[in-house]
Amino acid sequence: MKKSTTLLVLILVFLILSLAGSAWCDPRAQIIEIQCGRQREHNSTLFVPNFVSTMEAISDQMRVSGFGKAVTGAGPDGNYGLAQCYGDLSLLDCVLCYAQARTVLPKCFPNNSGRVFLDGCFMRSANYSFFEEYEGDENDKEVCGNVTRKAGSRFRSTAETAIAQAVSDARHRRGYARTELPVPGSANASVYVLTDCWRSLNASSCSACLSSAAKSVRRCLPKSEGRALFTGCFIRYSDVDFLNDEPRSTGSREILLVLLVSVLSGVFLLVMGVLIGVYVYKHRVIQKKRRGSNDVEKLAKILHDSSLNFKYSTIVKATGYFDEGYKLGQGGFGTVYKGVLADGREIAVKRLFYNNRHRAADFYNEVNIISRMEHKNLVRLLGCCCSGPESLLVYEYLPNKSLDRFIFDASRGKALTWDKRYEVILGTAEGLVYLHENTNIRIIHRDIKASNILLDTKLRAKIADFGLARSFEEDKSHISTAIAGTLGYMAPEYLAHGQLTEKADVYSFGVLMLEVVSGRQNNRGKATEYSDSLVIQAWKLFQRGAVEELFDPNLLLHNYHDSNVKAEVSRAVHIGLLCTQESSTLRPLMSKVLEMLRRKNEELPAPANPPFVDEGTMSFNDTSENQSYHFRYPESVASVSHSSFYPR
């Protein structure tokens, strides 16, 4: 990368020098200081093209006016850029200085912001709008020249006078001023001063910035040179004449050179973007390979030290060589088959699609988490196999398959009376309490939904599919992770910020409760007869005191006049709304939810509103405050999980 940069700069300089001769004065392209931000870029896939696009937009403005600012993208991946040449540079000199600055700023990568001070221009990039900032930044400083100290008080007093005069003049010239004052009693000795403000500042901000910068740069005296590098302005004094002649009108030859420099520097930045992209890609590939190899080693040790390992040939025979007649269901990560072992045991085999959507880390994660847990409401992992051409997980076989086959089917739903549904809700809650609170480490499932709740022969619930589950230590408040799960079941704060806590499972459980009560899916499409999501329907009916309109007719088929059943179902809706409140801090812990389910006479608190969803844009909207989160579901999230019957 360094060799490519050097070669391009040499080519650029050679071509310009060959054509230009003495067409300019001095672009003053020497670098004074680079200041890189401390925060790393959020998403390099977006950061690099946004940065390149911003620099290109600024380039177009720089060769016309010597100033440019641009914005590309929004949010943490947005890029705000500003560049400006000091007032005594011609347009050609300006483009040369800017070409140098934009080759330097990428050195701040992978940090997402940076500033470059050159003696002829300034450039800054960040992921927020800084255009009106002018002082008070921790990076504001003076840089004193490592040159001779001027003896006597005459140079100091002359320099102070020159600085004050330049600052005063600058207030009437949009921040730009230049001053030359001879030092009394010293032959051929003078003080030269230049000031300039960024053109994005108003007059008062510019004046305030220059006042602070002047105070700062005076600290360099009696050294013979000093610079003030401030957020919104620049001041330089020196005993050497560094000032160019006032810019004159640009001729056709200069215009040609400006275009040449712009094109060459544009090519350079494009190459820099490609090089950064290659670097990021290689870095990620290396990290993935390292993680993958570590996971394989861990998994191999687990299998070697336990009785979990199945021979590939054993599973293939048990499933009739994965015959279609044995197929139980298919999800986003694989297909599930029924199998019968040689000893007569029935098993369910999850055959994983081993591609970029299910890496070794996910396979290891599921084996590692579920193999250590044992609870009556968690599906039991019998073993696994990773020695064949694909990865296989072997579970206990549950003949009634998954909950969604019952509650979303008008005919099968009749088999699930309210008592049975209540047992399913209670069993699921007990399983989640065990995951969240009764293990050595906290485990968040991340994908609680009807298709991941399996039913045994007595229609009792068992939580399945731990491929997305995450664990973290007690001393952590949350973990930050890539968003994954199923639309309609993911908590709003997890979608918006990627911060995962147990409250994400609580939200999913609340949605599940409302589905069990109503027999309707929350993540159904717009083509249905209902305009609102199930959660919003339940909230509106609860507000009207008409929650019975939400009930699945199958619930009251045999007990239509039973007031106790209606009260229990209404209470379940109430608890479901407590679990799906928009604010995660208001949602109860699963242990409290379990307590509310068991203590049927305990008074419940009033629920706050759930997140309101505009399904046309899939954006969360708080209609009570007339505010919007403006969060769109990524396509990758939408396709993460659509499993059925058995876990993915």
Side-chain angles (χ1 to χ4, degrees), residues 555-571:
L555 290 180
L556 306 176
L557 192 63
H558 304 294
N559 306 91
Y560 188 79
H561 299 292
D562 192 331
S563 58
N564 291 331
V565 171
K566 290 183 179 180
E568 286 185 10
V569 180
S570 298
R571 182 180 176 85

Side-chain angles (χ1 to χ4, degrees), residues 288-506:
K288 285 180 180 180
K289 287 182 178 179
R290 287 176 179 172
R291 283 199 301 268
S293 62
N294 291 337
D295 291 333
V296 170
E297 290 175 4
K298 290 179 181 179
L299 181 56
K301 188 177 187 304
I302 289 177
L303 294 177
H304 184 269
D305 297 341
S306 69
S307 58
L308 291 173
N309 197 18
F310 274 78
K311 290 183 179 181
Y312 183 76
S313 58
T314 300
I315 299 178
V316 169
K317 291 178 181 178
T319 58
Y321 297 90
F322 299 114
D323 187 275
E324 281 294 306
Y326 287 78
K327 187 174 178 178
L328 297 173
Q330 182 169 321
F333 285 174
T335 306
V336 181
Y337 296 86
K338 179 182 178 181
V340 181
L341 297 174
D343 59 8
R345 283 184 297 164
E346 293 181 317
I347 59 173
V349 179
K350 186 199 292 189
R351 188 185 191 188
L352 301 174
F353 298 143
Y354 222 128
N355 55 20
N356 61 346
R357 295 179 61 197
H358 192 100
R359 302 181 301 273
D362 300 307
F363 178 74
Y364 166 71
N365 183 70
E366 184 157 7
V367 174
N368 186 43
I369 287 179
I370 197 170
S371 64
R372 294 178 296 166
M373 298 182 299
E374 190 171 339
H375 188 272
K376 65 183 179 67
N377 294 113
L378 302 182
V379 69
R380 189 158 56 98
L381 179 71
L382 302 178
C384 58
C385 173
C386 59
S387 59
E390 55 208 328
S391 295
L392 307 170
L393 292 169
V394 182
Y395 291 95
E396 61 176 318
Y397 174 70
L398 299 173
N400 283 314
K401 301 177 183 178
S402 54
L403 176 63
D404 61 323
R405 288 170 55 86
F406 286 85
I407 60 174
F408 302 141
D409 184 284
S411 178
R412 290 195 185 102
K414 296 176 182 178
L416 281 184
T417 62
W418 170 242
D419 289 341
K420 290 293 183 182
R421 296 191 193 206
Y422 185 78
E423 282 187 30
V424 168
I425 292 172
L426 200 64
T428 305
E430 290 175 351
L432 285 173
V433 171
Y434 173 80
L435 293 176
H436 292 179
E437 302 179 22
N438 295 339
T439 55
N440 294 330
I441 55 174
R442 291 184 290 172
I443 297 172
I444 303 174
H445 187 278
R446 276 210 300 178
D447 204 16
I448 294 296
K449 59 182 179 179
S451 60
N452 283 338
I453 306 301
L454 305 188
L455 303 177
D456 66 10
T457 54
K458 296 183 179 180
L459 300 177
R460 292 175 298 198
K462 287 180 179 283
I463 300 173
D465 193 350
F466 290 81
L468 299 181
R470 291 294 179 267
S471 61
F472 60 107
E473 304 300 330
E474 289 291 338
D475 58 348
K476 291 185 178 181
S477 61
H478 69 272
I479 54 176
S480 296
T481 179
I483 299 170
T486 305
L487 292 182
Y489 300 88
M490 290 185 282
E493 75 281 356
Y494 175 47
L495 277 169
H497 307 295
Q499 293 185 345
L500 187 65
T501 70
E502 296 98 325
K503 295 299 182 71
D505 277 351
V506 175

Side-chain angles (χ1 to χ4, degrees), residues 80 89 98 226 250 332 408 450 505 546 574 596:
Y80 294 75
L89 262 62
Y98 173 68
T250 305
F408 302 141
D505 277 351
H574 192 153
M596 289 188 289

